[in-house]
Amino acid sequence: MSTVSLDAKSISTGALPLIDIAGLWSPDRADWESVGQALREACLNKGFLYLKGHGVSADLRAKVFDEAQSLFDLSINQKKKIDLSHSNCFRGYEPMRAQTLEPGQPPDLKEGFYAGRELTPDDPRVEAGKFNHGPNQWPEELPAFQPVMAEYYNTMRELGRLLMRGIAVSLGVDEKSFSAFCSEELATLRLLHYPPQPANPEPGEKGCGAHTDFGTLTFLMQDDCGGLQVWDEDIGWIHAAPVPDTYVVNLGDMMARWTNGRYRSTLHRVVNVSGKERYSVPFFYLGNPDFEINCIPTCLEEGGSPKYPPATVEQHYQEMYQATYSPADASV
């Protein structure tokens, strides 16, 4: 097993742009264009940014963190009652070290929980076995957990739709161009708990191995422990330190595919050297599973051809899962 350096540069948070998207709530087109230009610059560079002006209340965000900590404080037997192995649609609890995101490295030092859009077993999409469709699993010991997560999920889905309109403007297309993509879309809410990095870790052991995200947009809510690191081609690993009242947003592989590689999906990882328990809440905005991803016309040079064949959102995710996970481990 190779040794992987866990060193990262502590540099100004200005290394990642901070973008205020409040202008996307404005009726003034000039405000939209201003946000779109800022998004374009960030997406062409690292595909990572801090997002403010998001409109998600501090009270709701605090409730999500409180409920997440309560979940992970349950006994292992209580958590196993809602284990991912009981779900056909990747919903529920994922034990510590159950996932290895960086090939050739030790398992990730984290435990997690997955939730998505709530669908009953008799929903036609569930009965048809449609990819990642089905009911969630909820901890019966925590009565406030489900309503809090459902409210947060719906709030973040609306934020995802709003930011996709901003992304459309950034690409020089009509702000409503992605409306079909943002209808009946898939999204995954994930809760994560990272224990402190061990004093004597295995070579390469870390909270979360280096990876890119599969999807379109990821909204990360992180506590004040820090630990997220982003790859910079010129500098190496850099810290994405917590900035109050912001989300860290990054683009995933499908956005890179959709833009013919123009917009960036960047490697990132987690190393929790805070000495404290770290909690984070990523929300993965994925898109309508039946929507066909073709190269956006403004991303194709004259006379050029798309780098990727057309694929539906569902096909893209299935390709990513098959390339990265064994069937037993397909739990992202």
Side-chain angles (χ1 to χ4, degrees):
M1 180 182 298
S2 61
T3 300
V4 175
S5 172
L6 301 185
D7 294 336
K9 303 291 185 182
S10 295
I11 61 177
S12 167
T13 54
L16 299 180
L18 193 156
I19 299 177
D20 188 341
I21 64 162
L24 298 182
W25 306 99
S26 170
D28 189 337
R29 180 67 186 185
D31 293 332
W32 281 75
E33 293 292 347
S34 177
V35 175
Q37 180 59 35
L39 289 172
R40 178 177 177 82
E41 292 174 4
C43 294
L44 288 171
N45 186 3
K46 293 185 182 65
F48 260 88
L49 57 103
Y50 293 101
L51 190 78
K52 69 176 184 177
H54 46 72
V56 183
S57 74
D59 179 66
L60 177 57
R61 286 181 278 129
K63 287 179 180 177
V64 171
F65 271 126
D66 287 344
E67 291 299 323
Q69 183 170 345
S70 295
L71 172 74
F72 294 121
D73 283 345
L74 294 175
S75 71
I76 187 61
N77 287 335
Q78 290 172 315
K79 289 182 282 193
K80 280 185 175 180
K81 290 191 294 185
I82 54 170
D83 191 271
L84 280 171
S85 61
H86 306 315
S87 172
N88 292 323
C89 56
F90 311 135
R91 309 288 176 80
Y93 172 71
E94 181 180 60
M96 192 74 70
R97 294 186 172 91
Q99 187 178 43
T100 305
L101 280 172
E102 186 172 352
Q105 298 303 308
D108 296 346
L109 191 59
K110 69 180 189 302
E111 59 180 335
F113 175 86
Y114 294 84
R117 183 180 180 184
E118 186 70 56
L119 296 175
T120 60
D122 60 353
D123 184 286
R125 292 163 292 187
V126 180
E127 290 185 331
K130 198 165 181 62
F131 178 75
N132 210 12
H133 286 66
N136 292 298
Q137 298 190 87
W138 304 108
E140 60 183 17
E141 297 85 357
L142 304 175
F145 186 91
Q146 179 177 357
V148 166
M149 297 306 161
E151 180 183 359
Y152 187 72
Y153 179 92
N154 290 331
T155 299
M156 295 305 296
R157 183 183 60 187
E158 292 304 315
L159 179 59
R161 291 173 175 175
L162 179 70
L163 190 57
M164 285 301 300
R165 294 177 70 186
I167 293 290
V169 173
S170 81
L171 289 165
V173 298
D174 186 85
E175 66 191 59
K176 298 180 181 178
S177 295
F178 301 152
S179 58
F181 176 84
C182 297
S183 173
E184 299 293 320
E185 66 270 60
L186 292 172
T188 298
L189 170 61
R190 194 173 184 193
L191 312 178
L192 294 170
H193 165 229
Y194 298 84
Q197 185 78 2
N200 296 297
E202 291 185 46
E205 186 175 38
K206 61 188 80 70
C208 180
H211 67 287
T212 58
D213 292 343
F214 293 166
T216 309
L217 301 172
T218 301
F219 297 82
L220 178 69
M221 183 168 65
Q222 53 179 338
D223 63 13
D224 60 1
C225 288
L228 175 64
Q229 299 176 358
V230 177
W231 180 251
D232 183 291
E233 292 177 353
D234 297 322
I235 300 172
W237 290 106
I238 61 174
H239 290 293
V243 175
D245 200 31
T246 70
Y247 284 90
V248 176
V249 174
N250 66 278
L251 308 181
D253 298 337
M254 190 163 67
M255 181 60 75
R257 178 175 187 158
W258 205 357
T259 60
N260 214 36
R262 181 164 295 184
Y263 277 10
R264 304 285 298 278
S265 178
T266 299
L267 280 171
H268 52 286
R269 67 184 188 182
V270 173
V271 184
N272 181 18
V273 294
S274 68
K276 300 184 293 183
E277 307 295 321
R278 178 184 189 267
Y279 299 90
S280 70
V281 183
F283 181 84
F284 303 96
Y285 188 83
L286 310 177
N288 185 304
D290 298 322
F291 185 89
E292 186 172 80
I293 298 295
N294 287 295
C295 178
I296 296 169
T298 56
C299 296
L300 193 61
E301 295 181 1
E302 186 175 353
S305 57
K307 297 178 182 178
Y308 308 95
T312 65
V313 169
E314 181 176 67
Q315 288 169 341
H316 169 80
Y317 288 115
Q318 288 177 324
E319 288 173 10
M320 294 296 99
Y321 284 22
Q322 290 167 1
T324 311
Y325 298 95
S326 68
D329 292 335
S331 55
V332 169

